[in-house]
Amino acid sequence: MSTDEYRRGTAVERERQRKQRPARGRYRGVLPVIYAIGFVMFTVVSLYIGPEPAFAVYLVTHVFYAGLIRADIRSLRGQGIDWGASRHLWFGAAFALPFVAPAYYVHSGRVIRRENESRDLDG
């Protein structure tokens, strides 16, 4: 029997279920805080300094949102949650669209809850 053969049986399934932990987004909890800080910065800069620096704040915060979303999706995929091709849409939309970060927060919460329910685990 070689070491790379497929293991089967109820004992292996029990061992696999014991090791399973609830899925959770690594950076999901930080996203609303960063979004609120970015919104406040954008509002203050646009009211008191002008539109050009406000656009710069918009660009920088959206690059940051896209990076957080990408990192969160990668961490969820590492936990066994399959995003399919929509992961590219979430990442790309975070660059340009203003309300993608809160929408991703809500959507990823639903995906994580659905996955934990299918694994019979509590979040």
Side-chain angles (χ1 to χ4, degrees), residues 70-83:
R70 179 179 181 269
D72 194 53
I73 289 174
R74 286 187 74 188
S75 75
L76 290 173
R77 287 184 71 209
Q79 297 173 41
I81 297 177
D82 184 32
W83 281 81

Side-chain angles (χ1 to χ4, degrees), residues 25-91:
R26 182 178 293 169
Y27 304 104
R28 185 176 173 268
V30 183
L31 200 57
V33 174
I34 300 298
Y35 190 80
I37 292 170
F39 182 76
V40 169
M41 285 175 38
F42 177 77
T43 305
V44 168
V45 168
S46 64
L47 290 176
Y48 295 112
I49 298 177
E52 292 86 10
F55 184 68
V57 168
Y58 177 84
L59 287 177
V60 169
T61 55
H62 278 71
V63 167
F64 197 68
Y65 300 150
L68 280 175
I69 288 173
R70 179 179 181 269
D72 194 53
I73 289 174
R74 286 187 74 188
S75 75
L76 290 173
R77 287 184 71 209
Q79 297 173 41
I81 297 177
D82 184 32
W83 281 81
S86 70
R87 69 182 185 268
H88 302 295
L89 295 175
W90 283 110
F91 175 68

